[in-house]
Amino acid sequence: MEFSDLYKQENSPLVRFSPDGRYIAVVVKHRLILRDSENPKRIHRVHTCAYETAPYIQEVEWSPDSEYILTASYATNRVDVWSVDGDENWRCAITDEVARVEKALWARDSRHVLTFSELDLRLSVWSLLEADDRRYIQFPKTRPSGLSFHPDGTYMALAQRHDYHDYIGIYNTDTWQLVREIAVDTLDLAGLRWSPDGLHIAAWDMAASYTVVVANAAGIIKRVFRPSDDNEDDDGLGVRSCAWSPGGQLLALGGFDRRVRVLNHLTWRPIATLAHRPTIGAAAADVFVEVEVGQTLAQASQAAMASTPRHHTRFDLDASAPATIRVVTPLHDAPRADQRAGISFAEFSADGALLATMCESMPHALWIWHVASMRLAAVIQTLRPVRACCWSPVESALAFATASPTLYVWKENNGCHLYDIPSPTVAATALVWNPNGGSLAILSKGVFSIAYMTE
């Protein structure tokens, strides 16, 4: 593992690699800086945005073909599109004269920009090819989780609500005309996601209702899944996270009840319910526990000279039976909305062989499951709460961070490894993989570094 120097950035959620992996975009005040991802010292282009109100840039998104990049200032009701490799002076400005823009994103053809208006009044479609070509779609809701594109970009699924009912609108992205409208049996549709194979759409209800609707593109409802219908215990809590397997054959539903239900694509019934319990039986899985270790003489000398000492740790296998997972108990007088609960993260590996999950009430633990057997493969316990985790886009390598100057990487056959970030002042709170899988950005307050996978 090799690390780049530290570079300035002022908004970690806006650090983005281009889809082709060549550039990384960062924000510094009102400037958008495009750096070479292989050599961050090389600045490809700097775009200065004419936003007068702080925070200046509130959105950054690459076009799917990496030829354009958009910035948005919702405070000033403005979206700008910039050319990446073309004319440096070319710019397209988008302003909605009727309602303030609250979200901007790209269509899959990279030639249309979508904007959501305040109060979900409408979804506007802006063309980069013709200045006067704009379309409007009424009654959108739950942005941006309520919008998903077909994998080939030909259709868009949009959560909508009118006449006191929820619907999924299917739109042709060539004409932006409604092709089909699917009525769904939900109280308040919270989100939807198209399957990677493009055959099905999964939509889930609000947090107070565990209802998942699976429909195909033809508008046929394949299943309305409720745990109570399958004689499961239902405590009235809904879906917090949702993930499709890469082949679209499995749908993982992370609930507020600390369980992940995995539905199959044939019957759309659970083939497994993965419970996150505070105790793990003997030989059930490898349990990696992070522990502090003593310093060598050279490390102690370096720590004495450093303004911020570095704490060295390693991972040991927990041989106790049963192994205990640390649980964070919320305060009894805390508002219900502030209490930690549910599966906050569920994501399949690139090959679909593994599923990683996180339970909000056990923030020090990462759970990794074998998909073929639906059994627990490993549990990783860290000293600090896990702040970010994500799978490599090309292999079964899980990277995670704990707001410390350490990058953690787990691989099934290699176990869990720790890599010290060169600067001890870095507190890694977010990670972004390069789409080519060769590197990932490590984000801290005000700075970022790029780690290059050399193994």
Side-chain angles (χ1 to χ4, degrees):
M1 183 79 69
E2 296 180 355
F3 294 88
S4 72
D5 294 335
L6 295 179
Y7 298 95
K8 189 176 182 179
Q9 61 84 19
E10 293 189 351
N11 196 330
S12 294
L14 301 185
V15 176
R16 301 276 192 276
F17 280 102
S18 60
D20 61 9
R22 291 191 302 156
Y23 304 116
I24 183 170
V26 298
V27 169
V28 178
K29 292 186 178 179
H30 58 280
R31 296 188 303 275
L32 174 69
I33 303 174
L34 308 183
R35 294 181 180 271
D36 190 309
S37 62
E38 295 298 322
N39 182 14
K41 291 182 179 180
R42 180 180 176 271
I43 296 178
H44 174 68
R45 192 163 286 185
V46 177
H47 294 295
T48 302
C49 304
Y51 306 145
E52 299 177 353
T53 304
Y56 301 102
I57 300 178
Q58 297 172 273
E59 190 77 63
V60 172
E61 186 169 344
W62 289 90
S63 64
D65 63 3
S66 300
E67 293 185 10
Y68 299 95
I69 188 169
L70 70 76
T71 59
S73 172
Y74 302 130
T76 58
N77 190 32
R78 176 158 170 176
V79 178
D80 288 298
V81 179
W82 312 85
S83 176
V84 175
D85 292 315
D87 184 359
E88 189 170 357
N89 297 319
W90 183 91
R91 178 177 59 87
C92 175
I94 297 173
T95 303
D96 194 327
E97 303 87 354
V98 176
R100 184 166 60 90
V101 173
E102 291 196 344
K103 180 65 179 176
L105 65 159
W106 285 97
R108 288 295 180 265
D109 64 356
S110 300
R111 296 301 178 268
H112 290 85
V113 175
L114 313 180
T115 60
F116 284 90
S117 301
E118 62 179 341
L119 304 178
D120 294 332
L121 295 178
R122 66 186 184 186
L123 173 66
S124 304
V125 183
W126 311 79
S127 173
L128 300 185
L129 303 178
E130 300 180 22
D132 297 331
D133 183 11
R134 66 182 70 173
R135 310 293 176 87
Y136 302 106
I137 299 175
Q138 303 296 325
F139 315 119
K141 64 175 301 185
T142 61
R143 60 184 188 279
S145 61
L147 185 148
S148 181
F149 285 95
H150 189 278
D152 65 11
T154 55
Y155 296 98
M156 177 186 72
L158 179 67
Q160 297 178 276
R161 185 175 182 87
H162 57 86
D163 300 327
Y164 309 104
H165 292 286
D166 289 333
Y167 298 87
I168 301 175
I170 308 297
Y171 290 83
N172 186 312
T173 56
D174 287 333
T175 61
W176 300 103
Q177 297 297 317
L178 180 65
V179 175
R180 189 167 289 104
E181 191 173 61
I182 307 171
V184 291
D185 184 19
T186 54
L187 298 177
D188 185 9
L189 183 59
L192 56 84
R193 186 170 297 179
W194 218 306
S195 65
D197 58 7
L199 298 179
H200 299 94
I201 302 169
W204 57 94
D205 208 347
M206 61 185 291
S209 172
Y210 203 123
T211 301
V212 179
V213 180
V214 180
N216 60 20
I220 300 174
I221 302 293
K222 307 295 288 187
R223 180 75 199 277
V224 178
F225 172 70
R226 297 183 179 91
S228 57
D229 294 342
D230 290 341
N231 298 320
E232 288 192 48
D233 294 334
D234 185 3
D235 55 10
L237 301 177
V239 174
R240 181 167 182 186
S241 55
C242 174
W244 286 99
S245 65
Q249 297 179 338
L250 298 174
L251 177 64
L253 304 172
F256 283 91
D257 57 0
R258 300 198 298 189
R259 285 179 280 187
V260 177
R261 295 171 175 85
V262 183
L263 278 57
N264 72 86
H265 74 298
L266 298 177
T267 64
W268 298 111
R269 293 183 181 277
I271 60 173
T273 299
L274 311 178
H276 295 65
R277 299 186 177 93
T279 57
I280 300 173
D286 291 334
V287 179
F288 296 91
V289 179
E290 185 182 13
V291 297
E292 289 193 7
V293 297
Q295 296 179 328
T296 64
L297 184 61
Q299 291 172 339
S301 177
Q302 293 177 355
M305 294 184 294
S307 58
T308 303
R310 184 191 295 273
H311 298 279
H312 295 271
T313 62
R314 70 165 186 258
F315 278 101
D316 290 341
L317 279 173
D318 189 349
S320 62
T324 302
I325 306 299
R326 180 180 175 184
V327 178
V328 175
T329 304
L331 298 175
H332 293 292
D333 58 348
R336 184 176 180 84
D338 294 337
Q339 295 185 8
R340 300 186 177 196
I343 306 300
S344 58
F345 173 82
E347 186 176 324
F348 287 91
S349 60
D351 59 2
L354 298 166
L355 172 67
T357 60
M358 276 190 62
C359 183
E360 190 73 13
S361 60
M362 307 177 203
H364 297 262
L366 270 172
W367 308 67
I368 303 172
W369 311 79
H370 281 299
V371 173
S373 61
M374 288 298 166
R375 293 183 179 274
L376 192 60
V379 177
I380 305 170
Q381 288 205 79
T382 56
L383 292 174
R384 300 185 181 187
V386 177
R387 296 289 298 274
C389 58
C390 50
W391 286 106
S392 164
V394 297
E395 62 175 332
S396 296
L398 182 67
F400 54 102
T402 62
S404 66
T406 303
L407 173 65
Y408 304 80
V409 178
W410 178 90
K411 294 184 179 181
E412 184 176 10
N413 297 324
N414 297 331
C416 198
H417 292 267
L418 302 85
Y419 301 93
D420 288 337
I421 301 171
S423 173
T425 60
V426 170
T429 56
L431 302 172
V432 181
W433 277 99
N434 190 319
N436 63 25
S439 60
L440 75 160
I442 304 168
L443 312 179
S444 180
K445 183 178 181 180
V447 296
F448 79 97
S449 176
I450 299 180
Y452 297 95
M453 312 298 290
T454 56
E455 300 177 359

